[in-house]
Amino acid sequence: MNTMRDIEKMKAQPCAPFGSAYSYFIARLSDYYISKTNGTERILDEIAEWDAPSQEYILNCVIGEISKNSF
């Protein structure tokens, strides 16, 4: 099970052009929600292996990313 510690590791791991692996992860989940008819299910499948506090953190970041990019 992945935890907040794993999120911190992802934030430190470089991933061009997103800056970090975590930024890429959030961008990918946001894209699922915006562009896929089953986006919510895809996101839930992706975060199923994370513990509850991490899931909440990830979902809040995805919501923030989507809100930031909405008109």
Side-chain angles (χ1 to χ4, degrees), residues 14-26:
C15 180
F18 294 92
S20 71
Y22 186 72
S23 294
Y24 169 71
F25 180 60
I26 296 300

Side-chain angles (χ1 to χ4, degrees), residues 15-70:
C15 180
F18 294 92
S20 71
Y22 186 72
S23 294
Y24 169 71
F25 180 60
I26 296 300
R28 190 175 81 228
L29 296 181
S30 299
D31 181 62
Y32 287 167
Y33 184 78
I34 293 167
S35 65
K36 307 295 184 205
T37 58
N38 64 342
T40 303
E41 292 81 18
R42 286 180 181 222
I43 291 169
L44 294 175
D45 285 344
E46 287 278 337
I47 66 171
E49 61 192 48
W50 294 83
D51 66 5
S54 300
Q55 287 179 359
E56 183 177 351
Y57 182 81
I58 291 166
L59 289 175
N60 284 329
C61 289
V62 170
I63 291 166
E65 184 68 21
I66 292 167
S67 297
K68 181 175 73 175
N69 294 318
S70 296

